[in-house]
Amino acid sequence: MNRTMSLIGKSLAVLLIGLLVVPAAAWCKEPYKIGGLFSVTGPSSFLGDPEKKSLELAIDEINARGGIDGHLLEAVIYDTEGDPGKTNLNASKLMTKDNVIAIIGPSLTPTTLAIVPLAEKQPVPLISCAAGILITEPVKPWVFKTAQSDVLAVAAIYGHMQKKNIKKVGIITVESAYGESGRDQLTAQAPKFGIQVVQAETFGAKDTDMTAQLTKVRSAQPEAVICWGTNPGPAVIARNFQQMGFKIPLYQSHGVASPKFVELAGEAAENIVLPAGKILVTDQLPDSDPQKAVLKRYVEQFTGRFKQPVSPFGGYAYDAMMILAKALEGTEGKKDAVRKRIEEVRGLVGVTGTFNFSPQDHNGLGPDAFVMVQIQNGKFKVIDQ
Amino acid sequence: MRNAFFVLVIAVVGLSVSNAYHFQLLTFIGINTLLALGLNMLMGYAGQISLGHAAFYGLGAYATAILTVHLNWSPWLALPVAVVLTVVIAFLVALPMLRLSGFYLGMGTLGFGMIGYIIFREWSRFTGGDSGLVGIPSLELGPISFASARNYFYLVWAVVLVCLLLCERLVDSRVGRGLRAIHDSEQAAAAMGIDTSRLKIQIFVLSAVFAALAGFLYAHLVNFISPGSFDFLVSVRIVTMVVIGGMASIWGSLLGASLLTVLPEFLQAFADSEMIVYGLILMVIMIFLPQGLTRGIMDAYEGARTRKASKSASINS
Amino acid sequence: MQEFLQYVFSGVTNGSVYAIIALGFSMLFSMTGLINFAQGEFVMLGALGMISLWKGAGLPLPAAIVLSTIGVSAVGLLLERAAIRNVRKPHPIVLVIVTIGASIFLRGAGMIGWGKESYSSPAFSRQGAFEVAGATLLPQSLFILAAVLLIVFGLQFFHRRTLTGKAMLACAISKRAAWLQGIPSERLVLLAFALSAGMGAIGGILIAPISMSSYDMGMTLGLKGFCAAMLGGLGSSLGAVLGGLLLGLLEAFGVGFFSSSLKDAIAFVLLLGILYVRPGGILGAKVVKRF
């Protein structure tokens, strides 16, 4: 309770300072309304909660600068609870009742796909924070996304394996859209890297013990195991993996790229290799890395304001807002112009990576969005650039 | 009289509302009313619980989605196929299932619902798996396009109206009396010459068809479906709508569905406390109005009238 | 052979977890004829409460376990006193919805109290995993199994040998007859709630070290526990254990010999098969209840 109060106090202070700094011109113009749809509660709150906070952060940052062309930004954020039906309803509320210029979110692939038809019909620019490639492939004029596609993460893992001369892998994926997309990509890209998937297993997000699946994976004699999921399941797998005395390397996905994973898995996290966004290893980046400054500022602001460690997911919403802010400049809030200008955003350095949009590419990220890291002594260490 | 009034309300609402979001909300209420209505026939009148109705809801949605997306059928052709499929599956499920009773029937239907959910999820070649199935077409009927929120609202509520009337007729018929007899005592009903198992199966199939119809309407409204919309929690939500609205009350289904659809929209303001408030409201309604809202409101009204009547009587004497 | 044994161990571990939750369902049902859908939330509260007291507040482990169990029992008492007892017409389905409301409420409270993150707990003993014929067995699995057996025998002893336990059985048979004999049935119902909530808490405490705990862990576990209780036969504590272990083994072998993505479906198909053959569960009496 106290924390909430102090938070409110601080936000008020920020607002007040903002009001003093904002040039007088901003007062005359109507604010731009930006819609946000995140799974703030429910099973995917680990995505939606930091995303919502990051969007608020980005908006306050832009408003402190004086807004866009003198227009302040105003966020209208709804909780989807990860339910497609509810997301659809809330999206329609944002579009027709709140009359937002653009929507940021939702957090999940199914919830995004549930509002893509609405966004196209209305139309309203939509910048999703979900990873699924179905969102931007095939390209839909009004739909963009900022999260890295699993395509890149899988390529990063397989690239690393190729160097280690690993040819046979067992995979174990979570039963969700995230795990499914990981499994599809892992199987689809394997031949390209000369790798064979010898056993594919799945686990329920809330299963308590995964030794049965791991036993089956072990019997296929792979040279490495890849686990694809988001906390806490993969931490249970890491523990079971260690307890069962596996002697082969364990790879995880970027879905667990946060200190929380190490906290949950404890010693079992040692030596696990995974692809991660650069936010996880900000300190280890060379100063020449263009993202370093952006990441540092974001991390400082987020931890300073919300008194909690940054998540690898919040950046999706932060980047989406920054892209939108750039696109909004000089459009006077005309949706058609905004949409067109998002496609023209090039070289925007964000938290997740450097975005280069085009009419053919509505995700805009390149392979540099990921680095391979290994957990050593409870810390994430970059192992190849 | 009541029905004419209902038609009038729908028409007036349809003409006076202009915002697409409000139409969408009302359309969702209509779809949920269909779900609640079907289950209410089963729970309230036949006294059989189902914790797996989301599977039939999903069956309707997936049947039409697969036929229209993968095979490019017209939705109007997919609809009868979905209904027939539901009838067949519901019949096959009901045969062994309705031998169970009480919580065991709940368990059995729950199991059926879980199996349905897993099939939606795992048969990914056709269902799109966890990510869902995209590209479900909007409905069109000659020159009328139901892509417009207002038209879809009218369509859904027309279906709701037809189903409401059907249920009203059914309840007042021989079948309805048979059902209520089963509800009170199955043995007594059987002794009176009612073919109880046949009647129970018929009602089960009817309620499954209502759910499938709702699924059909949902799929063509959102143009996208994923397994998450048809999981166990959805089954529980349908049961909750029935009980909150009032069991064995046709209009109660409407009330329960409306409340549970609109309530979360209002509770958004509570942000993280939403679940606490929602849980409390459920508990409070059930504690104080265990027979549901319709009966509760009617009782309160009757109570007020008798109090008033007795008051005036005492003044007169 | 090694694999077979590993499936058995995995099945028994998960099965014991289900069994302990099923016991909570079953004991409350035999006493009150009520299915408490908030049982899974007691599991969540037990696990998170223990972790907070042990790791957060730095209490010794036994104290954390006891305090957490007592705390959750108190929540169970409160649920009965504040909600269930006040229901004007205690029809079974109405009570079920009340407990569903309670479970949503408790989940929301858990979310506010502990946040949306997961928590992990170290194992209770420093002892590493055992190896039996090449298969791995965790000491924690043995703890859980031991706790299940202890609870079953404790319950048997309680019902057979103590006056309160006998009075409780009498209430379960007929509340009215028991009341006429001077048994304070209301107080016993209260006790049943506290006991079953405490059992849920113990389940959560024991699962915490093998799995991860978060505010929404209760739903799946509650569901599985409910299935286990039904499978074994509602109201029979031995049946609950049997049902739990059977469900756990079915899942493990489903993974081993069919497919892990279909493991739940396999388990449920077999459950339905068993229900078809024995509509009252494996050890259950025939229950006829209408909604």
Side-chain angles (χ1 to χ4, degrees):
Chain A
M1 202 55 221
N2 252 331
R3 235 176 62 188
T4 340
M5 291 311 283
S6 77
L7 211 72
I8 293 173
K10 257 172 231 159
S11 336
L12 276 179
V14 168
L15 201 73
L16 224 85
I17 296 167
L19 291 181
L20 293 175
V21 176
V22 169
W27 291 101
C28 324
K29 294 188 176 173
E30 215 177 293
Y32 285 153
K33 271 191 176 176
I34 310 293
L37 288 171
F38 304 110
S39 53
V40 185
T41 58
S44 315
S45 53
F46 66 93
L47 289 171
D49 191 58
E51 282 166 359
K52 171 175 179 258
K53 287 173 176 162
S54 300
L55 177 61
E56 287 167 354
L57 199 71
I59 283 185
D60 287 351
E61 195 183 314
I62 293 165
N63 283 345
R65 287 205 302 251
I68 296 161
D69 302 332
H71 294 271
L72 287 182
L73 297 180
E74 188 187 320
V76 187
I77 299 175
Y78 295 125
D79 180 10
T80 67
E81 294 170 27
D83 172 19
K86 198 163 176 162
T87 313
N88 189 275
L89 193 56
N90 281 325
S92 126
K93 193 170 175 182
L94 284 176
M95 290 170 191
T96 63
K97 191 154 168 271
D98 300 315
N99 290 316
V100 298
I101 294 176
I103 294 178
I104 291 175
S107 318
L108 304 169
T109 307
T111 47
T112 302
L113 292 175
I115 66 167
V116 164
L118 265 185
E120 292 279 309
K121 199 159 72 184
Q122 195 63 24
V124 169
L126 174 73
I127 308 181
S128 168
C129 297
I133 50 170
L134 277 176
I135 297 168
T136 48
E137 272 173 40
V139 170
K140 299 155 197 78
W142 294 85
V143 183
F144 302 84
K145 80 185 179 90
T146 51
Q148 310 100 322
S149 282
D150 299 331
V151 184
L152 300 175
V154 168
I157 291 182
Y158 277 166
H160 185 260
M161 284 186 163
Q162 214 171 16
K163 276 185 226 158
K164 297 269 173 205
N165 209 14
I166 291 168
K167 300 253 180 263
K168 281 171 21 181
V169 296
I171 62 176
I172 174 163
T173 55
V174 69
E175 285 159 4
S176 72
Y178 178 71
E180 188 181 68
S181 141
R183 182 173 53 173
D184 290 349
Q185 281 304 318
L186 284 167
T187 11
Q189 290 191 35
K192 216 164 63 192
F193 291 87
I195 289 170
Q196 190 194 352
V197 176
V198 289
Q199 188 72 42
E201 293 295 315
T202 63
F203 62 94
K206 293 280 161 199
D207 282 2
T208 43
D209 174 273
M210 280 72 151
T211 45
Q213 284 93 327
L214 285 173
T215 307
K216 199 161 181 202
V217 168
R218 180 158 67 183
S219 63
Q221 295 179 324
E223 292 161 15
V225 176
I226 305 171
C227 166
W228 209 269
T230 47
N231 284 332
V236 179
I237 286 183
R239 279 188 178 182
N240 289 158
F241 194 81
Q242 188 202 32
Q243 286 151 358
M244 289 172 69
F246 272 86
K247 298 277 180 286
I248 51 177
L250 174 62
Y251 287 75
Q252 294 274 2
S253 72
H254 56 295
V256 296
S258 71
K260 188 76 199 171
F261 173 71
V262 180
E263 184 196 319
L264 291 177
E267 290 164 23
E270 275 310 287
N271 294 325
I272 286 176
V273 179
L274 64 154
K278 289 180 181 166
I279 188 164
L280 196 60
V281 287
T282 309
D283 299 336
Q284 296 170 47
L285 294 176
D287 286 330
S288 60
D289 194 301
Q291 269 183 271
K292 188 161 184 173
V294 178
L295 282 169
K296 254 185 132 159
R297 198 180 64 224
Y298 171 73
V299 172
E300 271 165 24
Q301 284 188 338
F302 192 94
T303 47
R305 174 157 164 196
F306 299 111
K307 304 284 175 258
Q308 69 183 68
V310 284
S311 114
F313 312 113
Y316 301 153
Y318 185 85
D319 289 349
M321 189 58 240
M322 289 306 165
I323 291 164
L324 189 59
K326 186 146 184 210
L328 271 169
E329 283 167 17
T331 57
E332 286 306 313
K334 292 204 176 53
K335 290 175 187 135
D336 199 38
V338 174
R339 184 205 78 79
K340 223 167 154 270
R341 295 228 10 186
I342 298 179
E343 282 182 347
E344 288 159 7
V345 170
R346 301 270 144 77
L348 187 134
V349 180
V351 172
T352 314
T354 305
F355 291 91
N356 290 299
F357 287 97
S358 72
Q360 290 79 37
D361 185 359
H362 277 197
N363 186 9
L365 286 170
D368 65 325
F370 281 116
V371 286
M372 288 303 286
V373 299
Q374 186 169 35
I375 301 169
Q376 291 168 2
N377 301 319
K379 294 268 177 298
F380 291 92
K381 288 271 169 340
V382 179
I383 48 176
D384 65 30
Q385 279 284 37
Chain B
M1 173 46 201
R2 198 161 45 168
N3 297 326
F5 179 68
F6 185 58
V7 173
L8 196 70
V9 168
I10 293 175
V12 168
V13 168
L15 288 174
S16 58
V17 172
S18 59
N19 186 293
Y21 158 67
H22 291 136
F23 273 125
Q24 190 113 346
L25 190 62
L26 290 166
T27 308
F28 271 109
I29 291 177
I31 290 174
N32 285 335
T33 303
L34 271 183
L35 288 169
L37 189 63
L39 191 62
N40 206 343
M41 292 302 286
L42 185 67
M43 270 173 66
Y45 291 98
Q48 313 292 316
I49 195 173
S50 167
L51 287 176
H53 246 52
F56 292 118
Y57 183 34
L59 186 64
Y62 271 103
T64 181
I66 289 172
L67 291 175
T68 51
V69 173
H70 291 303
L71 304 176
N72 285 321
W73 282 27
S74 149
W76 303 115
L77 219 60
L79 178 62
V81 175
V83 169
V84 170
L85 194 68
T86 309
V87 168
V88 172
I89 291 182
F91 179 73
L92 292 178
V93 169
L95 269 184
M97 203 74 87
L98 293 177
R99 281 185 32 174
L100 304 172
S101 59
F103 287 117
Y104 289 94
L105 179 64
M107 175 67 228
T109 47
L110 185 157
F112 166 72
M114 292 300 249
I115 292 169
Y117 169 73
I118 292 168
I119 293 174
F120 299 147
R121 203 183 65 202
E122 292 304 324
W123 200 25
S124 51
R125 243 184 68 215
F126 290 101
T127 62
D130 274 310
S131 310
L133 191 56
V134 291
I136 303 169
S138 294
L139 293 178
E140 267 171 33
L141 194 63
I144 312 167
S145 161
F146 291 104
S148 123
R150 184 183 308 240
N151 287 352
Y152 212 86
F153 160 85
Y154 281 129
L155 173 73
V156 167
W157 282 95
V159 175
V160 171
L161 185 69
V162 170
C163 291
L164 275 169
L165 290 179
L166 183 75
C167 288
E168 264 195 340
R169 297 294 296 265
L170 208 60
V171 168
D172 285 336
S173 71
R174 201 183 132 80
V175 176
R177 287 190 295 274
L179 284 174
R180 267 169 292 178
I182 293 181
H183 187 222
D184 293 339
S185 161
E186 200 167 327
Q187 274 111 339
M192 299 297 289
I194 297 168
D195 187 347
T196 56
S197 59
R198 201 179 125 180
L199 205 53
K200 281 200 296 187
I201 288 174
Q202 282 172 341
I203 277 303
F204 190 85
V205 170
L206 176 82
S207 92
V209 167
F210 276 23
L213 214 54
F216 174 85
L217 291 170
Y218 173 83
H220 290 287
L221 170 69
V222 179
N223 306 114
F224 166 83
I225 49 173
S226 65
S229 306
F230 312 105
D231 63 5
F232 172 63
L233 283 181
V234 176
S235 294
V236 171
R237 202 183 310 149
I238 307 173
V239 173
T240 314
M241 282 176 199
V242 171
V243 181
I244 291 274
M247 289 215 284
S249 155
I250 285 170
W251 296 90
S253 308
L254 177 68
L255 206 59
S258 312
L259 185 75
L260 287 198
T261 315
V262 174
L263 197 58
E265 291 297 301
F266 282 111
L267 295 185
Q268 284 256 350
F270 289 95
D272 276 4
S273 315
E274 183 190 327
M275 271 204 274
I276 290 193
V277 179
Y278 185 77
L280 270 180
I281 291 177
L282 275 192
M283 283 198 280
V284 166
I285 293 180
M286 278 295 97
I287 290 170
F288 295 106
L289 304 172
Q291 289 186 308
L293 284 175
T294 15
R295 187 64 70 80
I297 292 169
M298 257 153 63
D299 282 354
Y301 174 70
E302 295 278 317
R305 220 171 53 176
T306 43
R307 256 199 309 280
K308 206 168 160 193
S310 64
K311 211 170 166 189
S312 56
S314 65
I315 290 168
N316 284 344
S317 66
Chain C
M1 185 58 207
Q2 175 202 348
E3 278 154 31
F4 181 81
L5 210 58
Q6 191 69 66
Y7 294 136
V8 173
F9 288 164
S10 172
V12 170
T13 306
N14 280 333
S16 318
V17 171
Y18 302 154
I20 215 165
I21 300 165
L23 274 171
F25 272 111
S26 209
M27 105 135 264
L28 191 69
F29 180 83
S30 67
M31 185 61 209
T32 60
L34 171 72
I35 290 285
N36 178 13
F37 272 90
Q39 189 69 17
E41 269 52 50
F42 293 145
V43 176
M44 175 268 291
L45 289 176
L48 288 175
M50 187 274 289
I51 292 175
S52 288
L53 291 171
W54 186 24
K55 292 286 121 187
L59 289 180
L61 178 62
I65 292 178
V66 171
L67 276 180
S68 165
T69 311
I70 292 177
V72 177
S73 301
V75 175
L77 278 183
L78 210 66
L79 173 65
E80 202 280 336
R81 204 61 205 82
I84 306 283
R85 185 176 297 185
N86 297 328
V87 176
R88 297 214 171 141
K89 255 201 184 136
H91 195 270
I93 188 75
V94 170
L95 294 175
V96 163
I97 304 286
V98 172
T99 64
I100 287 175
S103 88
I104 296 172
F105 175 81
L106 289 175
R107 209 177 312 141
M111 187 178 88
I112 289 179
W114 280 278
K116 296 159 190 165
E117 298 278 1
S118 306
Y119 294 82
S120 79
S121 149
F124 289 164
S125 78
R126 288 268 102 206
Q127 169 77 43
F130 302 112
E131 228 185 78
V132 185
T136 321
L137 181 61
L138 288 181
Q140 195 68 31
S141 309
L142 294 178
F143 278 136
I144 300 178
L145 198 58
V148 167
L149 295 176
L150 214 67
I151 290 178
V152 172
F153 288 119
L155 272 180
Q156 294 285 342
F157 177 82
F158 177 67
H159 283 319
R160 298 256 157 87
R161 303 268 170 225
T162 65
L163 195 61
T164 322
K166 285 180 184 169
M168 218 172 210
L169 271 186
C171 278
I173 294 162
S174 164
K175 219 177 250 178
R176 205 177 169 78
W179 181 74
L180 285 170
Q181 298 290 322
I183 294 171
S185 63
E186 283 203 340
R187 232 180 293 162
L188 286 176
V189 168
L190 214 55
L191 181 66
F193 262 89
L195 276 180
S196 85
M199 253 180 246
I202 291 175
I205 290 168
L206 289 167
I207 307 165
I210 58 168
S211 187
M212 304 295 156
S213 317
S214 58
Y215 78 94
D216 59 349
M217 70 188 283
M219 210 160 51
T220 319
L221 287 171
L223 195 63
K224 294 272 173 76
F226 174 59
C227 294
M230 302 298 299
L231 184 57
L234 266 180
S236 148
S237 50
L238 221 56
V241 175
L242 213 63
L245 290 177
L246 195 61
L247 184 61
L249 287 170
L250 278 179
E251 281 185 2
F253 284 113
V255 171
F257 299 114
F258 296 95
S259 131
S260 48
S261 48
L262 293 181
K263 72 175 195 305
D264 290 331
I266 294 159
F268 277 115
V269 167
L270 284 167
L271 279 182
L272 291 185
I274 292 169
L275 279 182
Y276 184 63
V277 182
R278 286 195 63 91
I282 301 172
L283 294 181
K286 199 158 165 48
V287 195
V288 183
K289 269 225 165 70
R290 293 264 164 268
F291 287 105

